[in-house]
Amino acid sequence: MSVMVSVSEAQRTRTSEKYTAHPPEVLPMFVAEMDSVPAEPVREALERAVRDGDTGYVGHTRVLPEVFADFAGRRWGWDVDPDLVRTTTDVSVAAVEVLRRVVEPGDQVVVMPPVYPPFWEYVREAGGTVTEVPLRAPDGDPDPFDTTAGWRIDLDGIARAFAGGARTVLLCNPHNPLGLVHARDDLVALARLAAEWDAVVVSDEIHAPLTHADAAFTPFLTCGPEAVEHGVALTSASKAWNLAGTKCALMVGASERARAWFDGLPVEVVERTGILGYTASVAAFRDGEPWLASLLGELATNRRVLAEELGAALPGAGYRQPQASYLAWIDLRALPWGDGPAVVLLERAAVALSDGRDFGRQGAGHVRLNFGCSEETLREGLTRLASAR
């Protein structure tokens, strides 16, 4: 049984941003939300909580840290200490609150565009200033049957940023919008640079459970003693199990330094965790892997369909299959649509895509397409995109 429903069915019953930001005739393929049905263990856990009236403030319990530690050990061989896990509302709140603990007002924080648009706002909200160190792009024309492995962290650029005063890196691993799973060697080198300059790496790992079979995700905190001492990881079940609205994320440390940062958080940072999000996250990490395996199978099919058919729909489009996530980063600079092709495609094809410019100046002429949908919906999207030529 498919974990996806048709977009028309989702539009009839759902009230989230994906299905209400545009008129119903527009095919929504922008925001990172899937057209999926809930995993059965998650649905049952939420139904039970609502039936029993367990909808109050989140309790003081180690259940989710312990369940996540078990999941991380099974999935990635990552030995997580539940005593060094805290929860909060979502990864955006986690990022801002951790940054507030590790930066002083005006401090430089490195981000690596093209990257998830709120990263700039996280830094500003925490009182820092952004220093951009763009990822190194692959050489040559993209092969749609390659993955995003040609992209790399610019370690020399990070070193220059540290020499210029930066002391924090906001890392996206896997990297949104590219679907890049950073190479372990690069993460180890980043950790060593952080140790050399006494910097901190805050690693957003929300897309990690969505790593595809031809890639291997490396948690930053497993990258040696330097990463342990200088890192914090942020994660959630929200992307992999489509639970963003239930509001729960995890902050994971591996050192006494991280414990001190967590203990210094305002008590409300943890108290604002949604109890339904906590409940759903426990069910997802503990019992949701069979559903996740089915999801990854469907996403792998869609990833391949894009590789096989995007060139016919939009000749000249550049695309590499993502190593993680259900997000495709598409280069449309060869088409005569200027820096903002998402605007053109919305007008001409009634397909809503994310505007590449939102991900940094490197995104001009690009779009991000969400293929977390049924294959039928994806093919409809390709047909509509072809009509825009």
Side-chain angles (χ1 to χ4, degrees):
M1 175 179 162
S2 173
V3 304
M4 298 294 180
V5 299
S6 69
V7 70
S8 59
E9 180 180 344
Q11 286 174 320
R12 285 196 301 271
T13 58
R14 300 182 185 182
T15 61
S16 59
E17 179 186 2
K18 182 174 184 179
Y19 308 104
T20 58
H22 298 281
E25 63 270 18
V26 172
L27 194 64
M29 305 184 84
F30 65 113
V31 69
E33 177 182 342
M34 295 184 288
D35 301 338
S36 61
V37 297
E40 189 70 11
V42 171
R43 183 184 64 78
E44 290 175 352
L46 289 174
E47 288 177 348
R48 183 167 55 251
V50 172
R51 184 181 64 243
D52 294 345
D54 192 12
T55 55
Y57 297 112
V58 71
H60 299 276
T61 168
R62 281 170 49 99
V63 174
L64 180 54
E66 291 173 351
V67 166
F68 176 74
D70 289 343
F71 175 85
R74 290 193 307 272
R75 199 96 183 160
W76 306 304
W78 180 11
D79 185 14
V80 172
D81 180 353
D83 286 335
L84 287 171
V85 177
R86 303 290 187 274
T87 66
T88 189
T89 311
D90 53 34
V91 166
S92 64
V93 170
V96 171
E97 296 299 338
V98 169
L99 287 172
R100 281 181 171 145
R101 301 308 304 164
V102 302
V103 304
E104 298 294 335
D107 280 359
Q108 298 176 53
V109 178
V110 172
V111 302
M112 305 180 199
V115 73
Y116 183 52
F119 270 33
W120 282 267
E121 184 56 35
Y122 297 168
V123 174
R124 288 192 290 265
E125 189 175 345
T129 60
V130 171
T131 295
E132 295 186 7
V133 179
L135 290 174
R136 289 167 47 199
D139 295 327
D141 294 330
D143 179 344
F145 295 98
D146 281 344
T147 66
T148 49
W151 290 86
R152 298 286 295 272
I153 296 172
D154 183 356
L155 293 164
D156 291 338
I158 299 289
R160 288 192 296 271
F162 286 162
R167 290 295 179 269
T168 308
V169 174
L170 185 54
L171 176 69
C172 198
N173 178 39
H175 192 96
N176 173 9
L178 304 173
L180 168 65
V181 175
H182 293 296
R184 181 178 182 83
D185 287 350
D186 286 355
L187 295 175
V188 169
L190 176 61
R192 289 174 178 167
L193 276 174
E196 178 183 348
W197 291 94
D198 193 25
V200 177
V201 177
V202 181
S203 183
D204 176 350
E205 301 183 354
I206 195 170
H207 288 279
L210 293 169
T211 300
H212 295 290
D214 53 4
F217 170 71
T218 301
F220 181 75
L221 293 179
T222 67
C223 292
E226 297 90 351
V228 166
E229 184 64 20
H230 294 270
V232 173
L234 316 175
T235 192
S236 175
S238 62
K239 283 291 179 278
W241 285 273
N242 215 38
L243 299 170
T246 64
K247 294 301 179 185
C248 182
L250 300 95
M251 300 169 281
V252 184
S255 67
E256 290 306 308
R257 193 181 190 194
R259 188 192 304 274
W261 292 330
F262 293 165
D263 288 347
L265 292 169
V267 66
E268 285 297 322
V269 173
V270 174
E271 295 291 337
R272 289 172 185 149
T273 306
I275 192 170
L276 293 181
Y278 194 104
T279 297
S281 298
V282 168
F285 286 126
R286 185 177 60 201
D287 302 314
E289 285 179 272
W291 183 93
L292 180 61
S294 296
L295 169 70
L296 287 169
E298 292 183 37
L299 295 180
T301 296
N302 285 354
R303 190 178 71 147
R304 187 183 66 251
V305 167
L306 268 178
E308 292 172 346
E309 302 188 18
L310 180 63
L314 294 174
Y319 164 67
R320 285 179 170 86
Q321 295 185 82
Q323 296 171 309
S325 86
Y326 46 83
L327 303 170
W329 184 243
I330 301 173
D331 183 351
L332 298 178
R333 288 176 294 177
L335 284 81
W337 295 333
D339 288 345
V343 176
V344 177
L345 292 168
L346 179 61
E347 294 174 349
R348 294 188 185 179
V351 178
L353 304 172
S354 295
D355 191 324
R357 295 172 294 185
D358 293 339
F359 298 82
R361 63 184 182 278
Q362 299 80 6
H366 293 70
V367 296
R368 192 190 71 176
L369 180 148
N370 175 351
F371 60 86
C373 57
S374 67
E375 182 180 347
E376 176 187 12
T377 297
L378 177 60
R379 291 186 181 278
E380 178 185 351
L382 288 167
T383 298
R384 290 191 185 199
L385 292 175
S387 72
R389 304 201 310 266

